[in-house]
Amino acid sequence: QVQLVESGGGLVQPGGSLKLSCAVSGDILNIYLMRWHRQAPGKEREEVAAMTQRGRITYGESVKGRFNISREKVPGDNRKLTVYLEMNSLEPEDSAVYYCNVGATRQYWGQGTQVTVSS
């Protein structure tokens, strides 16, 4: 079992930055893929960033060059992991609920965190 809790969302002005965190706990040694998705009202869920267990990274076209996915694990602690999404040069079109997702023995999802980009 794996548990995910996102944080870091909020209201930011256009051009600003936010850093989202996803606290992952449980059987993290089975995780092979970590992703961030987003969903805006009336739109389908969109994958914005992905990182494999080996560190291969991909980004959605709309966020390339502006978003950065990373992870942090405390050496020796095999029960916790943090996945980050650093978002820069934010645009109103980036407003959405952002979800953390990991692939392990099955897909696990967090509850989502709202990001609103508005002046």
Side-chain angles (χ1 to χ4, degrees):
Q1 289 288 329
V2 175
Q3 295 78 43
L4 289 76
V5 178
E6 299 106 330
S7 62
L11 174 65
V12 62
Q13 292 188 343
S17 299
L18 277 178
K19 188 173 184 177
L20 306 182
S21 299
C22 177
V24 185
S25 59
D27 297 329
I28 68 169
L29 294 183
N30 291 321
I31 293 173
Y32 61 88
L33 183 64
M34 296 149 280
R35 294 185 291 182
W36 285 95
H37 302 253
R38 68 185 181 187
Q39 188 166 22
K43 294 188 177 181
E44 293 188 355
R45 189 169 293 188
E46 172 191 16
E47 178 181 307
V48 296
M51 174 186 283
T52 69
Q53 188 272 335
R54 292 188 175 187
R56 181 174 179 268
I57 293 173
T58 58
Y59 294 100
E61 285 297 321
S62 62
V63 306
K64 277 183 180 178
R66 300 188 298 121
F67 287 17
N68 180 48
I69 186 172
S70 62
R71 63 182 171 183
E72 182 178 43
K73 179 181 173 296
V74 176
D77 185 347
N78 292 325
R79 299 287 295 177
K80 294 181 180 178
L81 169 72
T82 305
V83 184
Y84 299 101
L85 183 68
E86 183 175 4
M87 307 182 293
N88 302 303
S89 302
L90 283 162
E91 305 166 352
E93 294 73 24
D94 296 315
S95 298
V97 178
Y98 283 72
Y99 297 91
C100 180
N101 156 244
V102 299
T105 53
R106 65 174 180 86
Q107 296 294 317
Y108 293 89
W109 292 84
Q111 81 286 355
T113 185
Q114 177 71 49
V115 172
T116 302
V117 185
S118 175
S119 56

